[in-house]
Amino acid sequence: MRTTMRAAVCVRAGGPEVLEIRELPVPAVREGWTLVRVMGAGLNRSELRTRQGHSPSVRFPRVLGIECVGVVAASTDPALPEGTTVAAVMGEMGREFDGGYAEYALLPNELLMPVTTTLPWETLAALPETYLTAQGAIDALGIRPGERLLIRGGTSSVGMAAASIARGHGVEVAATTRRPEKERALSAAGVDHVLLDDGGSLDIPWADGPSHVLDLVGASTVVDSLRLVRRGGTVCVAGSLSGWLIRDFEPIAMIPSGTRLTAFHSNDARGKAGAAVLERVVRNVETGVYRPNVDRVFGLDDIAEAHRYMEENRATGKVLMLPRGTS
């Protein structure tokens, strides 16, 4: 096995230029941990915020990356033999310890989810964080075939995944975007009604409103989502594109009687809790029920450009990094 590896190291808080490609020692396996040869990693806005300095608990330098897929190189867990395909997400990856922006990652055994699949790496890498969040949020909503779902923040990677899941199960879907040039991508992803969100009132296609709302924008739109959803419907908050806090939130005044407000956090789907869900997602992708939307694939050398691409909100769907390129 190699003794050194290439990794993208965030050397300090700042712009994309603080991500530097360095040659580091391959981490030594220790009790309770597994060394994974990283084959792909999804990029996420939480990593962008960490790089910008908005994660006070993170100490630099740090290899970012809250998710990855790859192959077990060495493990202290007999249930994870060398060569096993695995996925990992959250659990302080890229925050308390180094994450997926590298050729190898040393990860806690309990985070790893073995996967049996023939999907290409650029497809499998698009699934863990995005589809576990989307599937978990859809499950939390309790939506059923024939019902109506409004996705706020539809062109985010989780929004596109949620649309794919909902459409795969016979749900009528409306989704919002702030950019007219992204409307076509939402339609191509199977969204029935594309709504342009210019900050004013949304032109909801259903007279009595959606039965469910998946709010990925978060703090700035939750109260409006509660107003839009059909009386007795459910709003699930699973994103924070507009921040974390709802100012002056008054539950009794702002949640209509009988309407439900819930949330889903992707950290709830890590490790064993997420393994069965990920297997379900993988099977549905393999059979074409779910159709992942990969916007762009970057190599490790281009990680700073990938962050710049995310920061400028140019993506429609998932952005990936493959340490060894796409060949």
Side-chain angles (χ1 to χ4, degrees), residues 29 40 44 53 58 93 208 232-233 238 249 264 271 279 284 291 293 295 325:
V29 179
N44 301 278
V58 175
M93 280 182 67
D208 59 344
F249 183 62
F264 181 79
E279 282 285 354
N284 280 312
R291 291 178 289 179
N293 184 282
D295 180 274

Side-chain angles (χ1 to χ4, degrees), residues 121-282:
W121 292 115
E122 58 265 32
T123 301
L124 186 61
L127 303 182
E129 169 68 9
T130 296
Y131 267 79
L132 285 176
T133 301
Q135 185 71 66
I138 293 291
D139 291 345
L141 280 166
I143 196 165
R144 294 171 295 191
E147 294 187 311
R148 303 174 306 208
L149 173 66
L150 169 63
I151 302 171
R152 307 196 72 161
T155 54
S156 66
S157 58
V158 175
M160 300 286 277
S164 173
I165 292 170
R167 285 290 293 158
H169 293 298
V171 174
E172 188 176 357
V173 180
T176 69
T177 179
R178 293 177 298 168
R179 296 191 169 190
E181 67 271 19
K182 292 189 175 185
E183 292 184 42
R184 183 175 297 178
L186 283 173
S187 295
V191 171
D192 300 287
H193 312 281
V194 179
L195 312 181
L196 187 61
D197 187 356
D198 59 5
S201 298
L202 292 176
D203 187 15
I204 300 298
W206 308 294
D208 59 344
S211 56
H212 300 75
V213 178
L214 174 55
D215 198 322
L216 302 171
V217 179
S220 68
T221 55
V222 170
V223 173
D224 188 53
S225 292
L226 289 165
R227 179 187 63 82
L228 289 174
V229 74
R230 185 180 67 195
R231 181 63 65 96
T234 303
V235 175
C236 178
V237 183
S240 58
L241 296 174
S242 63
W244 302 100
L245 300 177
I246 304 173
R247 303 291 181 186
D248 303 318
F249 183 62
E250 301 177 32
I252 293 177
M254 294 177 175
I255 303 177
S257 298
T259 298
R260 291 172 289 275
L261 175 62
T262 187
F264 181 79
H265 192 286
S266 57
N267 207 38
D268 295 337
R270 69 188 189 276
K272 290 182 180 179
V277 179
L278 184 60
E279 282 285 354
R280 176 164 38 123
V281 167
V282 167

Side-chain angles (χ1 to χ4, degrees), residues 6-9 16 19-22 38-43 47 100-103 122 125 294-310 318-327:
R6 297 169 67 251
V9 180
L19 295 168
E20 297 183 2
I21 305 301
R22 294 185 175 180
V38 177
M39 303 303 293
L43 272 60
E47 296 149 3
Y101 288 14
E103 292 181 312
E122 58 265 32
V294 175
D295 180 274
R296 189 168 170 186
V297 180
F298 291 85
L300 184 60
D301 287 334
D302 300 317
I303 196 71
E305 176 56 29
H307 265 239
R308 190 170 292 109
Y309 186 76
M310 283 197 300
K318 191 69 174 179
V319 177
L320 304 176
M321 185 279 296
L322 301 188
R324 295 157 188 85
T326 56
S327 59

